[in-house]
Structure formats: structure tokens, C-alpha cells
Amino acid sequence: MANDKLWGGRFCAQTSELTDDFNSSVRFDKRLYAQDIEGSMAHVKMLEKQGIISGDDSKAIQDGLNEILCEIENGKFVFNTSLEDIHMNIENRLIELTGEAGKKLHSARSRNDQVALDTKMYTRLEITNIKKLLFELLEVILNKAKENTDTIMPGFTHLQKAQPVTFAHHISAYFEMFKRDISRFDDAYNRLNTCPLGACALAGTTYNIDRNYTSGLLKFDLPAQNTIDAVSDRDFVIETISCISFVMMHLSRFCEEIILWCSKEYSFIELDDSYSTGSSIMPQKKNPDIAELVRGKCGRVFGDLTGIFTVMKALPLAYNKDMQEDKELLFDAIDTVKMCLETFMKMFESAKINKDVMYKSAQSGFLNATDAADYLVKKGLAFRDTHKIAGEIVFYCIQNNKNIEDLTMDEFKKFSPLFEDDIYEAVDLKNCVEKRTTTGGPSKKSMQRAIEAYENYILEYKKEQK
Ligand code: ARG
């Protein structure tokens, strides 16, 4: 034969080695082997059920596929670049093992629906794995929150001290972010869960196949409803990398704060030695490399997202080889986020929280200025007027190097005759936090409600897993 490829019939010459190398994806898509075999199993069962192949052929193919699975998992399978991708490597081996029967597997199938199927099944699996890690992270955050409902710290806007909150309250904001990320993954999963198998190259087939049957066997909600879309859709890759990008963005914000917090200037937390690194020249250094790397890896994941968007932009229907570029981007984003989540949660879990330093920091910077203004509102003034008075008090305090709570009654009275002894209680840091009983606010009461809801949320997930 002039060209010994599985598709070599219409060729007069072999492909050049350069073409084989350039075209081949097996070095990275071999990680789809389990999905490829599972998909082929479902396909062959359907072919048998529909009388397209005999029971004997079906059995020979299924035995052959099982043998190939063992060979791959035991490291005995020889991957061949000139066989291009995982699909043809497996099919070629099947034919070696089963002869005539193996040649029948690809009836009513194309690599186009096959690769879309494999990638979807792999994505489903990895969404589940990433979700598991996200729930583990939520548990770490929740435990830290529970230990720190009394840990008063400054809340910031513009990176300037703003109002007092607690560490539990602050990190619960991250709980909310990662919780939203989980729901984004759920949405992506539900949307991707249609089965491309049976779309074949793009136009379905004249065989009497049963797409509902394969879809059900492979645990999809239903067959993809348009055969052209089934093989040309990579929205699910984009959506998954997009969900991953959200996680990375949230992790990078958390990391940025941790990097600040463990600087000498803040000293709000101390990272455990086991999750820090030193400097090759400066003996005193203890660097937050992990947090910085997670922050940095955000860049590569956004790159993966931009990459796949750009590959898909303006691609005509249906399948184009450009789409082979989806996999390395998808795999990179998945590997990166999993590695980041695993390392980040251990780093955060083992970090020491310097409660006293946080409290001390909250004592300077006039975090109770809003409370002084609110005090006068309760005495009958309009907030815009009390804001001005409290601003004048802050200015006076800066000039005289005092905190608001250090002012004497006489000093307070100079700004407004409405000030009375209970102002001291109103601007006391602990009271400033405890009185913020707003739903979702920092007071212990509000936080306990939130913590209870978070516990139930995690519990529901664990029940689902059983
Ligand atoms: N390796 C290919 C990919 O990843 C599989 C599909 C090939 N289809 C084709 N018509 N050449 O996209």
C-alpha cells in the first residue's frame, strides 16, 4: 500500500515524518485513553443492539478494548506518533488484537464525534475533581472562620483602613467567592452534558443507530441535538477554562492579601515554615513563594482562556483541525488549578493568625469614625451633617495625635453639644463590630448565622457524594 495509515486508501505516498510529528496529538491526548475506551464500549454495544455488527464481533471488540486498557494502565502499550492520536492508536491496536472484528468498530463513527465525546467525558470528570478540591478549601476557610469570630481586624477600602471587621468575616468573603465558583462549574457541567456520539463526521449516518442508548450508557442527559454542532462545539472547553479562571482570579486575590499580611509591615499572619521559602543571599528572609506562584499562575490560565477563544474565533463549521489545539490549553488549566488549590489550602490551613497584631492595627486609623457620625444621627442630626462633624473630629485627632476614643468629654462637646458619656461605648472597637448585626455583617451573631449556613452547604455536598 502506498500509504499505510488507517485512512491511507486515497493516498499514493506516505506522509512525511515532519507531517506526522506536526499533526500528531498523541503525546498529549493519550490522557483521554480511559474515556476513549469507555466511549468505544458504549458504541460497540449499540452497534450490536441495532444488529449492525454480530454478537461475536461485539464480544471480540469488547475483550480487545479491555486488554488495551490493561496494556495502557500497566505501561505496556506502545504509543505511535505516526498513528496521530489516541483514537487511532487504540483502534490500530484493536485491529492487531482482533483482526476483522476490530475493523468494524468505526462503523457509524468518526474521530470528530469521538474526540468531542472523549473531551466532554474527561471535562466532566475533572469538573467533579476540581469541585471536590473547592469543597476541601471551603472547609479549611470555614474552620479558620470558626476560630476567628472574635478576631477584630481592620477592613480596608482603597487599601486604606476603613471599618473594623473580624478575620472570620473577611475570609468568609472568599467562602462566598468559591461557592459561586462551584455553582459556575455546576452550570458548565449541566450545559456540556449532551452526547456527541452518533454525529459522526458532521451529518450523522445512514445506519440505524440509537443515539439515546449510547447517551444513556455514558450518563449524558441526552444526545447533542444537532450533528454539526455536536462535532464543532467547544463551548464547554471555553466555559470550563473560564470557570477555572474565576477560581484562579479569586485565589490570586486571596494570595495577594496573604502576601501583604505576612509582610513585616502588616504581620497579620505568619506562614508555616513548611509552606515558605528562603533567599539564596539574604539569610533573614522567609518568602511567601507559594502565594506568589499561585498569583502568577493566574496569568497562564488566563492565557489558556484567551488561547481557546482565539482558536475558536471565526472557525467555519464543522470540524477543523485547529480544534486539536483545545486539549493542551484545557489540560494545562485543569492541572494548574488543581495544583494551586491543593497547595494553597495547605498553606492557608497551617498559617498562624496573629490576633493581637490585627487588633492593634484596628485600634489606629480612625476605624470608628463612621460610628461617631452614626452616634449623632441617633441623637437626631442628619448623616451628611454628622459626617462633617466626625471628619472635623478626625482632623483634630490627627493634629493632636489622638484616637477618637481618647478625647475628653469637653473636647467632644466642642464639636457637638449632643455628645454625651455613651459616645465612649459607641466608638469602642468591639462594640463597633458587635453592633453591626446586619445580615452578612461582621458581628458574632451575624457570623454565627453565616457559619451555620456554610456548614449546611458543605454537609449537603457530602450527602450527595454518598
Ligand atoms: N486528534 C484530533 C483532535 O484532537 C481528533 C479528531 C481528528 N479528526 C479529523 N477529522 N482529523 O481534534
Side-chain angles (χ1 to χ4, degrees):
M1 199 201 285
N3 185 313
D4 56 14
K5 291 272 193 304
L6 286 174
W7 40 253
R10 66 95 62 222
F11 288 75
C12 302
Q14 298 286 7
T15 43
S16 74
E17 217 173 285
L18 200 59
T19 301
D20 279 350
D21 280 346
F22 187 68
N23 214 27
S24 167
S25 54
V26 70
R27 71 177 186 286
F28 54 84
D29 67 16
K30 64 176 166 209
R31 74 159 88 182
L32 299 176
Y33 75 88
Q35 289 73 27
D36 199 72
I37 290 172
E38 199 186 338
S40 290
M41 285 286 191
H43 181 64
V44 77
K45 284 178 191 161
M46 185 279 292
L47 293 178
E48 179 190 347
K49 180 178 90 69
Q50 297 301 98
I52 298 167
I53 65 167
S54 71
D56 285 349
D57 283 343
S58 169
K59 183 167 183 328
I61 292 172
Q62 291 183 50
D63 290 348
L65 288 170
N66 276 325
E67 196 172 331
I68 292 170
L69 185 65
C70 287
E71 286 180 359
I72 296 178
E73 292 191 334
N74 296 328
K76 298 220 172 78
F77 192 95
V78 186
F79 293 98
N80 183 345
T81 307
S82 78
L83 288 169
E84 214 175 307
D85 51 30
I86 185 64
H87 323 294
M88 290 207 291
N89 268 268
I90 289 177
E91 192 185 339
N92 192 69
R93 179 70 184 134
L94 184 72
I95 294 168
E96 273 175 21
L97 288 172
T98 66
E100 285 308 304
K103 288 193 204 164
K104 296 180 183 169
L105 170 64
H106 213 52
S107 318
R109 193 175 68 169
S110 153
R111 273 184 299 153
N112 297 350
D113 57 346
Q114 195 177 355
V115 73
L117 173 71
D118 294 2
T119 313
K120 275 193 169 182
M121 293 207 299
Y122 180 81
T123 305
R124 277 196 316 202
L125 174 73
E126 288 300 347
I127 286 181
T128 311
N129 291 336
I130 295 168
K131 256 182 77 176
K132 190 165 166 279
L133 287 171
L134 281 168
F135 271 102
E136 283 173 29
L137 172 60
L138 287 186
E139 241 179 322
V140 169
I141 296 175
L142 180 61
N143 288 335
K144 272 266 188 288
K146 282 190 198 160
E147 293 160 14
N148 287 286
T149 52
D150 286 322
T151 309
I152 292 178
M153 69 178 281
F156 296 84
T157 65
H158 312 268
L159 208 53
Q160 306 282 323
K161 289 182 189 178
Q163 290 174 340
V165 295
T166 66
F167 191 61
H169 187 228
H170 189 97
I171 61 174
S172 292
Y174 287 102
F175 193 105
E176 293 289 341
M177 292 178 230
F178 294 119
K179 187 166 168 255
R180 281 198 295 278
D181 291 340
I182 289 169
S183 80
R184 263 185 279 272
F185 278 113
D186 286 341
D187 286 349
Y189 188 111
N190 290 335
R191 234 184 322 276
L192 82 69
N193 208 24
T194 61
C195 185
L197 206 56
C200 304
L202 78 163
T205 178
T206 54
Y207 293 98
N208 174 33
I209 60 172
D210 184 347
R211 293 192 65 206
N212 283 310
Y213 180 71
T214 39
S215 169
L217 280 182
L218 296 168
K219 301 200 168 55
F220 283 93
D221 295 332
L222 74 171
Q225 294 296 291
N226 175 290
T227 58
I228 294 177
D229 180 54
V231 291
S232 57
D233 165 36
R234 290 295 181 276
D235 288 3
F236 67 96
V237 176
I238 299 179
E239 267 195 89
T240 304
I241 303 181
S242 165
C243 295
I244 293 173
S245 297
F246 269 100
V247 175
M248 291 303 298
M249 181 267 288
H250 292 147
L251 281 176
S252 81
R253 295 182 77 174
F254 211 160
C255 284
E256 170 72 7
E257 296 209 298
I258 287 171
I259 293 161
L260 289 170
W261 291 340
C262 65
S263 69
K264 239 311 82 0
E265 286 65 27
Y266 280 79
S267 301
F268 284 4
I269 68 169
E270 189 182 340
L271 295 180
D272 195 77
D273 280 4
S274 54
Y275 291 96
S276 313
T277 42
S279 154
S280 59
I281 174 169
M282 297 165 282
Q284 83 284 12
K285 294 276 272 179
K286 180 171 168 184
N287 292 329
D289 280 27
I290 289 175
E292 291 170 63
L293 251 186
V294 172
R295 189 177 59 179
K297 282 180 190 293
C298 201
R300 69 186 282 160
V301 171
F302 292 179
D304 295 330
L305 181 62
T306 311
I308 185 61
F309 260 127
T310 314
V311 167
M312 295 309 293
K313 176 191 170 293
L315 264 196
L317 304 182
Y319 178 83
N320 299 270
K321 188 76 174 206
D322 313 46
M323 287 154 74
Q324 182 167 284
E325 288 294 309
D326 65 350
K327 277 172 281 302
E328 281 169 294
L329 301 171
L330 177 67
F331 298 162
D332 181 69
I334 289 171
D335 294 347
T336 305
V337 77
K338 284 166 72 181
M339 208 161 55
C340 288
L341 282 168
E342 274 166 17
T343 321
F344 176 88
M345 75 174 93
K346 295 277 177 239
M347 176 192 69
F348 184 60
E349 190 176 34
S350 59
K352 186 174 152 270
I353 310 304
N354 293 331
K355 300 185 182 197
D356 293 346
V357 180
M358 287 188 184
Y359 188 74
K360 220 162 161 241
S361 172
Q363 282 177 312
S364 69
F366 310 106
L367 285 99
N368 49 4
T370 316
D371 299 87
D374 287 343
Y375 171 90
L376 291 176
V377 170
K378 281 171 199 151
K379 300 274 169 177
L381 296 186
F383 182 73
R384 272 292 153 242
D385 296 328
T386 69
H387 182 289
K388 188 161 183 286
I389 296 169
E392 285 161 4
I393 293 176
V394 168
F395 185 73
Y396 175 84
C397 286
I398 295 170
Q399 301 291 301
N400 293 280
N401 199 20
K402 286 182 170 195
N403 283 325
I404 296 177
E405 60 275 23
D406 299 335
L407 298 185
T408 63
M409 204 59 238
D410 284 347
E411 285 176 303
F412 271 122
K413 291 270 191 209
K414 274 191 219 143
F415 294 97
S416 166
L418 294 174
F419 278 119
E420 284 170 81
D421 264 354
D422 53 352
I423 178 62
Y424 293 104
E425 200 199 318
V427 296
D428 175 80
L429 211 52
K430 282 196 179 113
N431 289 333
C432 293
V433 172
E434 282 324 306
K435 285 199 186 129
R436 287 186 157 73
T437 52
T438 318
T439 303
S443 71
K444 204 168 181 167
K445 215 165 137 198
S446 307
M447 270 320 299
Q448 270 160 355
R449 276 199 301 265
I451 286 170
E452 203 178 301
Y454 293 161
E455 271 173 340
N456 284 333
Y457 174 69
I458 294 176
L459 215 67
E460 280 304 311
Y461 169 77
K462 285 189 175 166
K463 268 195 229 151
E464 261 174 47
Q465 299 310 296
K466 278 187 192 147

